[in-house]
Amino acid sequence: MASTLPRILLTGFDPFGGETVNPSWEAARALHGRRLAGHRVVARQLPTEFARSLVVLKAALREVHPAIVLGVGQAGGRSRLSIERVAINVADARIADNAGAQPIDVPVLADGPAAYFSTLPIKAMLVALHAAGLPAEISNTAGTYVCNHAAYAMAHFTARQRGVRSGFIHIPLLPDQAVRHAHAPSMALEDVTRGLAIALRVAASTDADIRAAAGTIS
């Protein structure tokens, strides 16, 4: 039965920065209830707020008891599905969050380490996305806004839970968002959703990552 399957917690955010839609949540909720590689996807929306996002995340983790946690966030300006390698313990907000908070140079969690690396098979995910004809990359910065905040917290909250793995993917704007931003790249929601499903299948079926070059020289 579906209820006995191990679960994937897939999170997206509500709109922010003047947008009326956030593709991260649209894609996440499109996958809610989907069975992928013997796992069931449970989607939850996080608020684009530094403080409350962690409260909602903690509640979702307690409710879902996931084997895998994947956060998804909108990144205007990015043209590819960006699989994040690392989340850092700092919040430095260029703009205020949806609650009006704008932390500058403060830790996500005061008692946490400087950074967490993704525990998902990010290189295997990348190879699978490329094989499916989807533009994707390994990113070495999740920024310092609410996405990084949540990605770091996901890693911290699951670090001592045996067998639980976590990671984060940034996605481009939707085409109807990009038309309002000059020269902004975009990706169709159908492609984003397909890409996330592929990434999750790989994450759920791959224990050890592959060795493949995906670094940068700058």
Side-chain angles (χ1 to χ4, degrees):
M1 296 176 60
S3 60
T4 65
L5 294 175
R7 296 175 178 178
I8 297 170
L9 176 59
L10 180 63
T11 67
F13 287 96
D14 62 0
F16 71 97
E19 300 290 337
T20 59
V21 65
N22 190 319
S24 68
W25 174 240
E26 298 305 313
R29 71 175 181 175
L31 291 171
H32 178 69
R34 184 86 64 89
R35 292 180 63 163
L36 298 171
H39 291 62
R40 182 166 65 89
V41 178
V42 179
R44 292 291 181 267
Q45 187 183 77
L46 301 181
T48 308
E49 301 176 20
F50 285 97
R52 201 161 68 88
S53 64
L54 301 197
V55 174
V56 175
L57 174 61
K58 278 186 174 181
L61 290 169
R62 288 195 300 267
E63 173 198 354
V64 177
H65 298 289
I68 295 170
V69 184
L70 179 65
V72 186
Q74 168 192 302
R78 298 204 193 189
S79 60
R80 297 173 174 263
L81 299 172
S82 295
I83 307 167
E84 298 298 347
R85 190 195 300 264
V86 62
I88 60 175
N89 192 14
V90 65
D92 189 0
R94 181 177 57 82
I95 61 172
D97 69 10
N98 284 351
Q102 191 173 1
I104 298 175
D105 297 335
V106 300
V108 177
L109 296 169
D111 60 345
Y116 281 104
F117 285 96
S118 173
T119 49
L120 299 180
I122 61 173
K123 298 293 184 68
M125 292 158 67
L126 178 69
V127 169
L129 288 167
H130 284 173
L134 291 168
E137 65 185 353
I138 300 299
S139 166
N140 295 303
T141 174
T144 55
Y145 196 54
V146 184
C147 285
N148 174 78
H149 200 76
Y152 181 92
M154 287 172 185
H156 185 81
F157 295 155
T158 60
R160 295 183 181 180
Q161 297 180 25
R162 187 172 182 177
V164 181
R165 296 179 293 162
S166 73
F168 198 93
I169 293 180
H170 270 113
I171 62 175
L173 298 176
L174 297 176
D176 60 351
Q177 292 178 289
V179 297
R180 300 189 299 273
H181 302 278
H183 311 298
S186 66
M187 186 176 292
L189 181 60
E190 293 79 6
D191 286 338
V192 172
T193 304
R194 181 165 64 96
L196 293 179
I198 291 168
L200 288 173
R201 284 193 190 96
V202 173
S205 60
T206 305
D207 293 325
D209 204 0
I210 64 175
R211 183 177 176 83
T216 63
I217 57 173
S218 61

